[in-house]
Amino acid sequence: MITVDDATALDGAEIDVAARVAWLLRMARTTAGGQLRLRALAERLGTSAARLSRLETGQLRDGRVVDGYETVLGLPEGSLRAPVDVLCRTFPAASPHDADPGSRIDDVRELSRLTGTLQGDGPVTGGQWLRWARAMAAPGNIGMPEQQCRELLVRLASELARAVSHGYPSRYEALSLVRCSAYGHLVLDVAKQELRRPHAQGLGDLMSAVGEAVTDDALDWCLDLLLDERGYAAQCGALAIENMGQIGETDFWAAVAPRLLEALERTPEGSPQEEWATHLVRLVPPQVWRENGLVPSRPLPPAAALPRMGRDASNTVWHRCVAVAQEVGHETGVGEQPMLARLVHDICFGHWETRAVTAYMLLAGVPAIARAAGPHMAGLVEEAEDPRVRARGARRLLGVLHGHDIPPVRRWLTDPDPGLRGSALAVTGAAGRQVDDEVLRAGLADPETSRLALYSAGMSAHPALAEIAAAEDPDVRNAALWWLEHGGRVAE
C-alpha cells in the first residue's frame, strides 16, 4: 500500500497540508465497507484513476471530488469536506489551491427551502448547515437580512457547542465560512453575546471560528479577554488569537507582539490568564522578537517539559507515537501509516492548538482508525510526566473520540489527577453516557473540573440537571439552566 507522510519538523514553522489531505482521503476509501479500489471509485465518480491517485498522494486538491468520495463511500455530508477545508484555511500558505471547489446552491427556491429547514423546530444535520454556509459565503451573496442571519447563527453556535461525530467539523466549518463572509461581523456579535454570559458553555470552538478572520475589532476584543477575570474567557480569547496568528502569519505576530507583552504584564502570576498569555507569547516567531528587541518585563513561567522534538532515537515520545501508529495500522488492516504517528504526536504532545485541532478533525474523519487509536493515545497521555502536558493531551482526546468513550478514559473518572478526571467527564458526557451521581457531584465540587462536570451532565441529559439548576451558586445554576434550555448532544 502506498503511504503518505508529513516529514516536516515536529516543531517546524510549517506542516505538509497536502499530505494530510491525501492521507484522509486514502484512509476513508481504505476503511470504507467493501474497500473500493481506486479504479472502481474513479468509474463511479466519472473521473480517472490517475486523477484520484494524484489526490491520494498529495499532488492535487479537488473539493468536488472530495464531495464525491462522501457520496460514493456512503459517508455523511461534510464528514470529509469539512476537515479538509478547515485544515486548508487554517494553514493558507502551506495549502494547495483547490482545483474545483464544487458547486454551491445557486437556486433561490432551493436556498429558501434549506433556510426554512434551519429556521424550523426539527433537527438538522451538520451537512445541511455546511451547504447553507457555502451558499451564504459566496461572493456577492448579501440578500439575507441581518436579524434573520443572526438568529440562525445563534442556533448554529448552540449546536456547535453540543455537536459530536461528523456533525462537529461540519458545523465548525459552516460557522467559519460565515465568519469569512460579508456576514462575518454577525459571528463576532454572537460570540460577544455568549461571552457576556457568566455561565457561557462550550465556547472554545465558537471563539476559534471568530479567529478565522483577522479583523481589528475581533483582535481588540480577544486581547481584552486575556485579562478577563474568568480563566475560561482568557482561554477563549487565546484560541481565537492563535487562529488569527496561524492565518496572518509573521505580519500578524509582528503587529500584535507588543500588545501580548502588555497583556502578559497585567496578568496575575500563576493564573490561567498568565498561562494563556504566555502560550501566545511563545508562539510569536523568534525573528519577530529579534527584530523588535522586546522582552517580557518578568521571566516567563517554565514551559511544559517535553523532550527534544526531533525524530532521532533520543526522542522516546516520538518513538512511542510511531509504535502506536504501527499497532493501530495492524489492528485496522491499513498497514504502516507514518502520517498516523505524526497526527498522534500533534494531538498528544504538540504545542500548537491549531495543529492539534485540525489533526483530530482529520483523525476523527476516519472513525475506524480513530476508535482504534483512542485507547493507545489515552495510554500515551496517561504516561506523560509533566501534568500540563498530561492535561493538554487529555483535553484533546475529546476531539479524537467525539461521541464515543473507551474503558481507559472511564477509569479516569476517579483519578486523582484533575486533568484526567476532567477529560473523562467530557468524553463520557459527549458519548451520551451518564456518570454516577457521586462522580458528577464530586466533579461539580472541584473548581478544576466543575465546568466539565456540567458539560458531561448537559451533553448526556443527566437526570440530576434539574436539581443542579436549583443550586445556590448562580454560575452553576445558570449553566445547568442553559443545558436544560438548549438540550443535550447533537450527533448528526
Side-chain angles (χ1 to χ4, degrees):
M1 178 184 294
I2 296 175
T3 61
V4 291
D5 188 18
D6 179 350
T8 59
L10 299 179
D11 59 349
E14 292 185 352
I15 60 172
D16 191 337
V17 173
R20 294 183 183 216
V21 172
W23 182 85
L24 172 66
L25 298 177
R26 178 174 288 275
M27 290 300 99
R29 176 176 62 83
T30 303
T31 59
Q35 295 188 358
L36 273 179
R37 292 188 175 278
L38 211 59
R39 188 173 300 279
L41 178 59
E43 290 176 358
R44 294 180 63 175
L45 289 175
T47 187
S48 67
R51 187 172 183 82
L52 296 192
S53 178
R54 293 178 63 209
L55 199 71
E56 291 193 7
T57 54
Q59 302 173 66
L60 173 71
R61 177 185 171 200
D62 188 319
R64 187 183 296 274
V65 176
V66 174
D67 293 339
Y69 268 62
E70 293 175 353
T71 301
V72 172
L73 299 177
L75 303 174
E77 180 183 7
S79 59
L80 299 179
R81 181 63 179 261
V84 167
D85 287 358
V86 170
L87 173 69
C88 291
R89 190 180 51 256
T90 304
F91 302 95
S95 296
H97 171 71
D98 193 343
D100 186 350
S103 60
R104 297 185 178 94
I105 295 174
D106 57 5
D107 179 83
V108 171
R109 293 184 180 88
E110 184 181 356
L111 183 57
S112 296
R113 283 193 297 269
L114 178 56
T115 302
T117 298
L118 300 178
Q119 292 172 321
D121 296 328
V124 296
T125 67
Q128 288 173 309
W129 279 115
L130 182 55
R131 207 181 326 143
W132 173 79
R134 291 184 66 199
M136 290 296 296
N141 194 349
I142 55 173
M144 179 175 284
E146 282 191 324
Q147 184 56 34
Q148 190 177 8
C149 186
R150 181 183 283 107
E151 290 170 357
L152 284 170
L153 292 174
V154 168
R155 176 176 182 177
L156 176 54
S158 168
E159 291 189 8
L160 174 61
R162 299 175 289 120
V164 298
S165 189
H166 54 266
Y168 160 69
S170 295
R171 285 175 174 83
Y172 179 84
E173 173 62 4
L175 199 60
S176 299
L177 283 171
V178 179
R179 171 61 181 149
C180 296
S181 75
Y183 293 91
H185 61 287
L186 297 181
V187 176
L188 180 59
D189 288 350
V190 170
K192 288 183 175 181
Q193 172 185 312
E194 292 301 313
L195 259 294
R196 278 194 292 268
R197 301 178 183 180
H199 55 277
Q201 300 293 300
L203 298 182
D205 293 313
L206 172 58
M207 290 301 296
S208 288
V210 166
E212 295 287 351
V214 183
T215 59
D216 290 340
D217 51 356
L219 176 59
D220 291 345
W221 177 55
C222 291
L223 285 165
D224 287 342
L225 286 177
L226 293 179
L227 302 173
D228 194 288
E229 63 181 11
R230 299 166 296 166
Y232 180 63
Q235 176 183 347
C236 288
L239 292 173
I241 293 171
E242 179 176 345
N243 223 16
M244 293 182 200
Q246 190 62 65
I247 293 168
E249 299 186 300
T250 302
D251 289 344
F252 171 86
W253 289 118
V256 80
R259 301 176 70 183
L260 289 178
L261 287 186
E262 291 174 8
L264 174 65
E265 290 164 5
R266 295 170 59 190
T267 59
E269 293 189 29
S271 66
Q273 292 82 351
E274 181 190 47
E275 175 187 351
W276 285 103
T278 300
H279 169 72
L280 293 173
V281 167
R282 288 196 168 108
L283 292 181
V284 176
Q287 71 186 71
V288 171
W289 297 123
R290 286 195 298 269
E291 291 171 0
N292 65 28
L294 296 174
V295 294
S297 62
R298 67 183 192 230
L300 297 180
L306 272 178
R308 294 175 56 201
M309 296 290 279
R311 302 186 191 221
D312 54 55
S314 66
N315 188 347
T316 57
V317 164
W318 167 247
H319 287 283
R320 289 207 299 272
C321 293
V322 171
V324 164
Q326 291 172 340
E327 291 182 49
V328 172
H330 175 73
E331 292 171 16
T332 57
V334 298
E336 187 88 5
Q337 293 299 327
M339 179 65 78
L340 178 57
R342 179 59 187 270
L343 298 180
V344 168
H345 185 275
D346 284 358
I347 296 165
C348 293
F349 302 108
H351 303 298
W352 295 268
E353 294 296 329
T354 47
R355 296 187 187 187
V357 170
T358 52
Y360 67 57
M361 282 188 181
L362 291 177
L363 184 51
V366 192
I369 297 178
R371 291 174 195 171
H376 297 283
M377 295 174 71
L380 289 178
V381 167
E382 196 171 27
E383 294 168 5
E385 296 180 4
D386 190 303
R388 291 166 296 177
V389 175
R390 194 160 54 242
R392 186 175 63 196
R395 168 169 52 84
R396 293 168 177 174
L397 272 179
L398 177 64
V400 176
L401 300 171
H402 239 299
H404 303 277
D405 67 343
I406 53 176
V409 171
R410 284 180 228 140
R411 188 178 68 243
W412 295 349
L413 286 169
T414 55
D415 196 279
D417 184 328
L420 297 183
R421 278 202 318 277
S423 173
L425 285 164
V427 167
T428 305
R433 186 188 295 270
Q434 296 169 354
V435 300
D436 293 340
D437 280 4
E438 59 269 26
V439 171
L440 177 60
R441 297 192 185 285
L444 289 170
D446 185 344
E448 294 194 67
T449 59
S450 58
R451 176 175 290 277
L452 292 173
L454 280 164
Y455 175 86
S456 183
M459 290 288 278
S460 64
H462 201 288
L465 264 180
E467 182 182 343
I468 297 170
E472 292 185 9
D473 185 327
D475 288 344
V476 172
R477 180 174 65 248
N478 289 329
L481 288 170
W482 186 94
W483 283 105
L484 289 171
E485 175 188 354
H486 288 253
R489 72 183 198 143
V490 179
E492 293 296 330

